[in-house]
């Protein structure tokens, strides 16, 4: 190529170079050659589980021997031929490449993707809207868990499975009072499973199904005592106000209204009004007082 003491040129893979004294070409120096593209091997070569030991080895046919550097996502991480993880973590996932370099140049391997798999982490459970939930409104529950491979989710209400699949979201398009209860989700992949903490879904609604009962339920005689009790399905719990006939002014408050020493003029329509922050509902009862024996 040249008869100079030094030789400089652009070398290509496969080029082998040696030198000799002029006139003694049969006694040439040991040859050198351009670096070949490094190869990367991973041990173990099967699935990589979080917490396991993993070794990446870079190899390149080079003379003189090569020096090696490792990059993760194009950032320098190591300057050894082997990159060793004693306990690999999920954050170690990424694209790795190695560069081999000697006096004749340097070559970089193709990217090797390291995919660290792990069981689902503790799921977080959220509800939207976060504020008070009114009956008839749209409500969304969301379950989120960090997992590789991605988790499947199972939704539960009071320990009863509702639905299972890849969907992280459980929706109520128009939530009902009977949907009130304790909900949680379970995240699962081939490496394990874990359940979220529980969430109380508190559905609020105005009083309904109100009723008034009387005790004793048999014939009410003058001079006796009688209890009128008002009941209503409501959330939050209802407050109760009692009225008689068409009067606008309440005669009592509380779930039970007691009349002692009943007289004939106590006969008539009674109604209670159940009320909470979501609305009100009225129920009516006609009370009949019978004359005592001394009046017959």
């Amino acid at each position: 190529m040249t008869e100079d003491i030094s030789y400089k040129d652009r070398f290509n893979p496969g080029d082998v170079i040696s030198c000799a004294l002029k006139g003694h070409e049969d006694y040439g120096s040991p040859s050198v050659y351009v670096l070949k593209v490094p190869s990367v091997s991973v041990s173990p070569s099967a699935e990589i589980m979080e917490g396991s030991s993993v070794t990446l080895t870079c190899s390149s046919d080079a003379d003189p021997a090569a020096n090696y550097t490792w990059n993760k996502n194009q950032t320098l991480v190591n300057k050894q031929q082997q990159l060793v993880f004693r306990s690999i973590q999920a954050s170690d996932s990424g694209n790795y490449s190695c560069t081999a370099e000697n006096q004749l140049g340097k070559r970089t391997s193709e990217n090797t993707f390291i995919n660290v798999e792990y069981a689902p982490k503790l799921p977080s459970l959220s509800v939207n809207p976060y504020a008070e939930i009114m009956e008839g409104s749209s409500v969304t529950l969301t379950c989120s868990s960090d997992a590789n491979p991605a988790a499947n989710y199972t939704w539960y209400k009071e320990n009863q499975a509702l639905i299972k699949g890849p969907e992280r979201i459980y929706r109520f398009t128009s939530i009902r009072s009977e949907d009130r209860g304790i909900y949680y989700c379970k995240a699962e992949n081939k490496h394990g499973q874990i359940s979220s903490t529980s969430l109380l879904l508190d559905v609020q609604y105005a009083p309904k199904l109100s009723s008034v009962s009387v005790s004793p339920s048999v014939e009410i005689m003058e001079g006796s005592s009688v209890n009128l009790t008002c009941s209503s399905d409501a959330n939050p719990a209802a407050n109760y106000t009692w009225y008689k006939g068409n009067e606008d002014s309440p005669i009592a408050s509380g779930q039970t209204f007691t009349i002692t020493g009943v007289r004939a003029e106590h006969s008539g329509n009674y109604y209670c009004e159940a009320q909470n922050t979501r609305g009100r509902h009225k129920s009516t009862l006609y009370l009949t007082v019978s004359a005592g024996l001394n009046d017959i």
Side-chain angles (χ1 to χ4, degrees), residues 122-126 142-143 155-156 182-186 194-200:
L122 180 65
S124 63
L125 185 58
S126 61
T142 303
C143 184
W155 286 93
Y156 295 86
I182 302 294
Y183 290 80
Y184 68 94
C185 65
K186 180 177 70 178
I194 188 170
S195 295
S196 70
T197 55
S198 298
L199 172 72
L200 171 62

Side-chain angles (χ1 to χ4, degrees), residues 79-216:
K79 291 186 177 181
Q80 301 292 329
Q81 186 174 5
Q82 287 188 324
L83 181 58
V84 179
F85 300 92
R86 302 297 181 192
S87 178
I88 200 164
Q89 300 300 307
S91 57
D92 294 320
S93 294
N95 284 308
Y96 289 81
S97 64
C98 70
T99 298
E101 183 175 5
N102 65 9
Q103 295 93 318
L104 298 178
K106 64 180 179 180
R107 303 297 296 274
T108 299
S109 70
E110 295 182 353
N111 282 327
T112 297
F113 182 67
I114 300 299
N115 183 33
V116 182
E117 297 190 356
Y118 48 95
K121 312 293 186 185
L122 180 65
S124 63
L125 185 58
S126 61
V127 58
N128 184 37
Y130 180 75
E132 294 174 344
I133 297 172
M134 272 292 293
E135 186 174 39
S137 62
S138 175
V139 178
T140 300
L141 301 179
T142 303
C143 184
S144 299
S145 175
D146 181 19
N148 187 23
N152 283 322
Y153 296 92
T154 306
W155 286 93
Y156 295 86
K157 178 188 178 186
E158 314 289 355
N159 295 322
Q160 181 178 357
L162 301 173
I163 190 172
K164 180 178 181 179
E167 180 62 53
R168 300 185 304 114
I169 295 175
Y170 190 74
R171 292 184 176 89
F172 301 89
T173 55
S174 179
I175 200 164
R176 302 167 299 171
S177 57
E178 52 264 38
D179 293 321
R180 185 179 188 273
I182 302 294
Y183 290 80
Y184 68 94
C185 65
K186 180 177 70 178
E188 180 178 8
N189 67 10
K190 61 183 180 180
H191 298 303
Q193 61 185 39
I194 188 170
S195 295
S196 70
T197 55
S198 298
L199 172 72
L200 171 62
L201 202 58
D202 189 25
V203 183
Q204 297 192 357
Y205 48 95
K208 55 186 176 181
L209 305 176
S210 297
S211 63
V212 179
S213 61
V214 59
S215 177

